[in-house]
Structures are given as C-alpha cells and as structure tokens.
Amino acid sequence: MPAQWEYQVGPCPGTAMGDELWVSRYILHRVAEDFGVIVTLDPKPMPGDWNGAGGHCNFSTSRMKAENGMKVMEEAIQRLEKRHKEHIILYDPSGGVDNSRRLTGLHETAHIDQFFWGVAHRGASIRIPRGVAQAGRGYLEDRRPSSNGDPYLVCEALVRTAVLDDWTDFDWTNMPSKP
C-alpha cells in the first residue's frame, strides 16, 4: 500500500514480545506526532488493489529448533489448522472483521476462510522459510494476525494450539465473537 511501513520486534521470549510491541507502537505514535504524520494500525486502512498490513508472528519452541524440528513444526501446523477459526477471532480486535478486509486470498495472503501452509510461500497462512525447511529445523511464520492485533492474544492462541493443544479453560467472555 502507498506509504506503508514495516518494522520488526524481537526476538523475544514468551510474552515479552507483547510488551515490546506495545512500547514500540507507543514510540511510533509519539515520533509520528512530532512530525505531523498520521499512523494507523488498521489492517486495510484504504480500500484498493494493494497489500494490507499484517502483524505476522515468527514462532518457535526449543523442540522446533532442535534436530528433527521440522516434524515438530508440521505437527504444530496440523493443530493450527484445526483451530483456524479460533485464531482468526483472536487475531484482530474485531473478531476477524478487520482482518477480513486484508485476508482476501490476494496480495500475499491466504483467504480468511482457508488454511494452508507452504515453504517460502508468502500467500500461505503459515509460512516456513526456505532456509528453515532446508535445515530441517527453526521457526514458522503465522501470517494471519492483523496489524492491530493484541500481541498477548496472538501468543496465547499460538501456545494453546501449537504447544499445549489445550483450549479447555479459555475464557471467551470478553471476546468480540466465539467460534
């Protein structure tokens, strides 16, 4: 999108990612204010034939980074596919409504209603970088979170699904929608 800017936070262990992202968003807004620049975290602030803004999350565990880590990542991806709807709800503050304007299946995104993964595939829901696939271990990139997403909910969804495979005690009370 015209005038779109991207930056990265991390690497960070666990929920420190959320802390660092919230602080970086604050700094971004404060610096922009000093220069008269308007910042929006909306995943598709202007309609048009261009990319939206994602909050992609690179994610790994010690088992993913160890010998035979690719097998661990593939098992995690299978669990992520089964919980796709829950993740979409948690990946933007509007329960998926904001992200539906971005995840159209065009412009390097998978469609919001579909889940697939691929090696070096920038249009996949989950992307495994080529070097990770060649090494057989490393990390995966969840390309579904929106730019305005709550990083703590993104982390929670990833850990509950990819690591714990347990959603039994998740509290949907204050969420914008339920699966």
Side-chain angles (χ1 to χ4, degrees), residues 88-99 101 146 148 175-177:
I88 290 299
I89 290 168
L90 296 177
Y91 281 3
D92 86 47
S94 300
V97 174
D98 292 346
N99 229 357
R101 294 179 282 122
S146 67
N148 63 349
M175 297 298 114
S177 59

Side-chain angles (χ1 to χ4, degrees), residues 1-94:
M1 187 179 113
Q4 186 176 26
W5 190 53
E6 173 183 323
Y7 66 96
Q8 296 182 10
V9 175
C12 305
T15 57
M17 183 275 301
D19 299 342
E20 293 198 18
L21 184 58
W22 278 117
V23 170
S24 75
R25 287 173 174 176
Y26 171 78
I27 293 169
L28 173 66
H29 282 277
R30 281 293 298 124
V31 170
E33 185 179 299
D34 288 346
F35 290 93
V37 175
I38 298 170
V39 172
T40 179
L41 299 177
D42 190 286
K44 191 81 174 193
M46 295 173 41
D49 190 20
W50 46 59
N51 294 9
H56 303 169
C57 185
N58 294 344
F59 174 75
S60 67
T61 65
S62 57
R63 291 183 60 223
M64 290 177 185
K65 294 184 281 186
E67 189 79 25
N68 298 316
M70 191 66 184
K71 181 179 184 296
V72 175
M73 284 185 276
E74 289 172 359
E75 291 167 355
I77 290 168
Q78 289 172 0
R79 291 189 296 274
L80 289 166
E81 181 173 17
K82 290 177 186 171
R83 295 291 186 172
H84 179 66
K85 288 181 182 178
E86 288 90 339
H87 284 247
I88 290 299
I89 290 168
L90 296 177
Y91 281 3
D92 86 47
S94 300

Side-chain angles (χ1 to χ4, degrees), residues 131-143:
V132 169
Q134 290 170 341
R137 60 180 164 197
Y139 67 95
L140 56 86
E141 177 188 12
D142 191 338
R143 299 177 59 81

Side-chain angles (χ1 to χ4, degrees), residues 59 61 79 156-167 169:
F59 174 75
T61 65
R79 291 189 296 274
E156 181 172 7
L158 284 168
V159 170
R160 280 184 179 275
T161 302
V163 179
L164 304 174
D165 195 17
D166 183 4
W167 283 76
D169 65 345

